[in-house]
Amino acid sequence: MPKSATTTPPQQKNTAKAPAPAPSGSEGSLEVKDSRTSKGYSIPIADNAIRATELKKVKSSDPEDLGLVSYDPAFLNTASCRSAITYIDGDKGILRYRGYPIEQLAESASFLEVAWLLRHGELPNQKEYDQFVHDITFHTYVHENMRKFLEGFRYDAHPMAMLNSSIAALASFYPSARNIFDETERNISIIRLLAKTPTIAAFSYRHVKGLPFVYPDNRLSYVENFLSMIARMTESKYEANPIFTRALEILFILHADHEQNCSTNAVRAVGSSHVDPFSAVSAGVAALFGPLHGGANEQVLRMIKEIGTVKNVPGFIENVKSGEGGKLMGFGHRVYKSYDPRAKIVKKLADEVFDVVGVDKDLETALELERIALSDEYFISRKLYPNVDFYTGLIYRSMAFPTDFFTVLFAIGRMPGWLAQWEEMLLDKEQKIARPRQIYTGLGERPYKSRLKNPRPD
Ligand code: CMC
């Protein structure tokens, strides 16, 4: 293994024959007429998109009119960036990282190979990979003050709250990370985040369990080291169950990126203020915590527990349909409208893990839930299929991870994607501070007249 300190990797040259670009719409223009003024406008179309700023030219006869804005709450049909990292075709259930199908990466790649790929656009050669693994391995330790910081949390703190604030706190340990346009600084921050996130995650786990922290073991692989920090007790070298190691490696790869999802959008938006990467990524962890996003894996298990037994499933589904029972967690996706390709892989993986640990009543309930939902008109007509979070929780639980911890595992997997997207955003000359417009719905001007007795006491 190379011994040199962290180096900035050289820009890669792609010597292979260029693969076909992802499909994009043809160029042209959108010819529109404003019925208020009868004026016509020609709005250029490129990459199947129009620029929202073109709409500013469309003005009413009011001289103070600033022009049209596009109104798109929750970004249902707005592209916020150009990105070369991840391609999704939601109708066909396709997911590719830098052109490579997720199925092939999950089958054969390592998580750190995928992490490199996401950032650099090409798979690493042996030398680059060895150096990268070396760099990650030797940055897994956290400052002892971080340990004290973690010890300050209550025994029942949610591990996502601990992860979120600890990643933000890393900014205080590495102030030079604020030099985000220095390539060397960016590189070491990215290495640190990839290396230290599993350590912080494992320390949070041990804190909640009341167990002593286990320090990183540099002899182990990324995933084995994580499992060692989670589960090692008195043994001198922890040997993880190889089925669990492989399962976790695959799950991390499946979660590594997913284009402009809620947490990645948060990282990009916060990062667009040019704050340091630790602060930007902590925003991603916060977004992932939510039950509609990464927090869904935790909620799936809670929902299955609440249902109790297979015989209660039909009643539960009826409650979901009537709107009384909330949503069917682990179902539905903003982009996938046929199936989530990650869910397909996870389901197969779950079968392999359950062969080792056995099937229990919660799994039976989950399978019955899936069977009924997939044949029910409500879910079929709305194109609601199991997403990645439906099965991952069941695998994590069979590996004895506590329910609270599931989303932390998702966050470890998503880290390379957040970082690749953060850097792509920073280096994109078209990007500026993210600052959406609004449609003001409040009152017009009115004079201040306080309703307090003494609004400004001396
Ligand atoms: N259970 C029941 N009904 C649902 C569900 C669900 N899980 N998801 C959507 N619907 C209904 C929704 O009520 C709406 O019905 P109607 O047309 O009658 O009003 C219709 O389907 C369209 O849903 P939507 O809310 O417009 O869809 P969205 O794209 O805004 O939301 C979602 C996507 C993932 C937030 C949503 O499907 C959901 O809340 N699912 C459950 C939470 C979940 O599993 N999240 C994990 C997502 S995948 C991994 C990740 O991103 O972390």
Side-chain angles (χ1 to χ4, degrees), residues 74 76 255 258 261-263 287-288 290-297 299-300 303 317 320-321 323 325-337 340 342 378-379 381-390 407 410 414:
L76 289 177
H255 284 119
H258 213 232
N261 56 87
C262 177
S263 57
L288 195 73
L292 299 188
H293 191 11
N297 57 14
Q299 298 308 325
V300 169
M303 172 184 78
I317 295 267
V320 168
K321 284 160 59 177
K327 282 187 173 164
L328 181 53
M329 300 313 283
F331 263 67
H333 199 275
R334 171 64 60 79
V335 183
Y336 294 122
K337 297 300 172 197
D340 180 338
R342 303 167 300 172
Y378 175 95
F379 296 92
S381 63
R382 288 169 177 78
K383 299 185 174 169
L384 300 172
Y385 297 91
N387 57 49
V388 69
D389 290 323
F390 190 72
T407 314
F410 191 153
R414 183 54 55 86

Side-chain angles (χ1 to χ4, degrees), residues 124-144:
N125 63 30
Q126 193 62 54
K127 193 167 163 249
E128 289 164 336
Y129 183 69
D130 289 346
Q131 182 69 55
F132 185 54
V133 171
H134 172 271
D135 290 345
I136 300 278
T137 307
F138 284 86
H139 282 92
T140 46
Y141 271 64
V142 290
H143 194 287
E144 279 295 288

Side-chain angles (χ1 to χ4, degrees), residues 409-422:
L409 297 165
F410 191 153
I412 298 173
R414 183 54 55 86
M415 189 56 68
W418 287 331
L419 293 166
Q421 299 265 356
W422 168 73

Side-chain angles (χ1 to χ4, degrees), residues 386-400:
N387 57 49
V388 69
D389 290 323
F390 190 72
Y391 307 105
T392 48
L394 291 163
I395 301 186
Y396 296 146
R397 211 226 11 201
S398 71
M399 293 168 76

Side-chain angles (χ1 to χ4, degrees), residues 86-232:
T86 290
Y87 175 74
I88 297 178
D89 182 330
D91 290 330
K92 297 195 185 118
I94 293 174
L95 169 60
R96 296 183 203 133
Y97 297 160
R98 299 284 189 179
Y100 295 104
I102 191 65
E103 294 78 8
Q104 292 177 22
L105 295 170
E107 179 70 31
S108 311
S110 77
F111 176 61
L112 289 185
E113 191 182 11
V114 168
W116 174 283
L117 169 72
L118 287 171
R119 180 174 177 211
H120 298 286
E122 294 298 334
L123 290 165
N125 63 30
Q126 193 62 54
K127 193 167 163 249
E128 289 164 336
Y129 183 69
D130 289 346
Q131 182 69 55
F132 185 54
V133 171
H134 172 271
D135 290 345
I136 300 278
T137 307
F138 284 86
H139 282 92
T140 46
Y141 271 64
V142 290
H143 194 287
E144 279 295 288
N145 286 0
M146 175 58 81
R147 178 204 167 103
K148 291 185 196 139
F149 180 79
L150 284 163
E151 281 169 352
F153 283 99
R154 276 176 56 129
Y155 69 95
D156 58 353
H158 195 291
M160 276 301 273
M162 294 169 78
L163 184 71
N164 176 12
S165 29
S166 310
I167 285 185
L170 285 177
S172 70
F173 291 90
Y174 306 108
S176 64
R178 294 171 72 187
N179 300 324
I180 52 172
F181 290 107
D182 177 329
E183 200 180 339
T184 308
E185 283 295 343
R186 266 204 318 276
N187 189 56
I188 183 68
S189 295
I190 287 173
I191 297 281
R192 282 179 174 138
L193 273 161
L194 291 170
K196 294 182 199 307
T197 301
T199 311
I200 294 173
F203 280 13
S204 314
Y205 172 95
R206 304 281 295 202
H207 175 72
V208 170
K209 292 265 174 195
L211 290 167
F213 295 168
V214 175
Y215 283 79
D217 183 340
N218 289 352
R219 295 167 296 178
L220 300 175
S221 75
Y222 191 83
V223 174
E224 286 169 333
N225 176 48
F226 172 61
L227 287 172
S228 161
M229 292 188 289
I230 289 281
R232 190 168 132 200

Side-chain angles (χ1 to χ4, degrees), residues 232-283:
R232 190 168 132 200
M233 297 305 284
T234 53
E235 56 278 47
S236 60
K237 184 180 179 197
Y238 179 76
E239 305 227 348
N241 180 331
I243 305 273
F244 289 175
T245 308
R246 183 170 170 275
L248 218 46
E249 184 105 39
I250 293 174
L251 291 169
F252 286 167
I253 292 172
L254 295 181
H255 284 119
D257 194 47
H258 213 232
E259 51 123 297
Q260 304 315 310
N261 56 87
C262 177
S263 57
T264 301
N265 183 57
V267 171
R268 278 182 173 259
V270 172
S272 77
S273 73
H274 291 177
V275 73
D276 68 88
F278 302 104
S279 305
V281 164
S282 73

